[in-house]
Amino acid sequence: YPARLEAELNRRHGADAQFEVVNLGVGGELAENMLARIDRDVISRKPNLVIWQTGVNDVIRGVPLEEFRTNLVQGIDAVLAAGADLMLLDSQYYPKSMMVPGFREYLVTMRQVAREKGVPIVSRYAIMKHLIDSAQYTPTQLLAPDQFHLNDLSYGCLGSMLADAIGDGLKRTRSSADASSAIEAQR
């Protein structure tokens, strides 16, 4: 989805801004592995926004929930301390997800940590599940043949959805800046 997100942000904002989306994800990594390289690979780039997609590999591999939570909190703290904005992206929906012990608890924990830390979370799981449960799409339409990974259609949807979320944040930031300027001008 990163290439789709970059294209969508640049299409929407045109000459107003130029967005570069860099994919630093490593397939199959645990949150612990991501945390270990966050300073070197992420913070060193001085990003404006970090979208952290994590959780599914941890729950599948049986990482204890509290260990995952600790790694998530430490990663969030590191990114925020570096001055970047952060958005969490929870696990994808796939047909056998709720058969994985602890899957639901991981989703709940990510939402709780996001709320505690004041960072937005995009609930990809709930959105994908709704699209399938409401019969707008089938799992075969949204997932690769392995019925686990996303496919081109779902990557496009995710890129567009994230562009919406980022665009909403940009509008709020610009509105706040405009309001601050107006207040300063009145003084």
Side-chain angles (χ1 to χ4, degrees):
Y1 75 86
R4 301 285 186 95
L5 173 59
E6 180 178 300
E8 187 63 20
L9 286 169
N10 286 320
R11 183 191 68 76
R12 291 180 186 196
H13 297 279
D16 292 342
Q18 185 62 34
F19 293 87
E20 178 184 15
V21 178
V22 179
N23 181 358
L24 299 174
V26 175
E29 267 197 336
L30 303 175
E32 174 183 39
N33 305 120
M34 295 175 199
L35 180 61
R37 63 186 184 83
I38 205 162
D39 286 330
R40 180 191 72 227
D41 294 350
V42 179
I43 293 171
S44 66
R45 293 176 172 272
K46 299 187 183 334
N48 293 311
L49 171 66
V50 173
I51 301 171
W52 191 7
Q53 171 185 318
T54 190
V56 73
N57 294 314
D58 291 78
V59 70
I60 289 172
R61 292 194 194 157
V63 173
L65 184 60
E66 279 307 309
E67 184 179 325
F68 170 73
R69 185 184 210 295
T70 298
N71 290 327
L72 186 62
V73 167
Q74 289 177 358
I76 291 169
D77 288 347
V79 170
L80 296 178
D85 288 330
L86 176 76
M87 178 185 296
L88 293 176
L89 180 61
D90 75 4
S91 301
Q92 75 270 23
Y93 169 83
Y94 61 98
K96 296 181 181 179
S97 57
M98 285 302 152
M99 294 168 56
V100 176
F103 198 93
R104 184 179 313 277
E105 290 79 8
Y106 265 70
L107 293 172
V108 169
T109 295
M110 284 190 75
R111 284 194 301 271
Q112 289 171 341
V113 169
R115 187 173 31 252
E116 290 166 12
K117 293 294 181 178
V119 298
I121 183 168
V122 175
S123 186
R124 173 175 49 166
Y125 180 88
I127 293 165
M128 289 179 71
K129 186 169 183 340
H130 170 75
L131 290 173
I132 291 169
D133 288 350
S134 65
Q136 294 177 59
Y137 294 96
T138 66
T140 303
Q141 289 172 309
L142 285 181
L143 297 170
D146 66 5
Q147 291 295 284
F148 177 74
H149 292 94
L150 302 185
N151 63 18
D152 286 344
L153 174 64
S154 51
Y155 281 140
C157 290
L158 184 56
S160 181
M161 181 177 61
L162 289 170
D164 288 343
I166 292 166
D168 290 346
L170 289 172
K171 288 176 191 167
R172 280 193 300 277
T173 300
R174 287 183 184 143
S175 295
S176 295
D178 291 345
S180 295
S181 297
I183 291 169
E184 287 299 319
Q186 291 175 6
R187 289 187 179 174

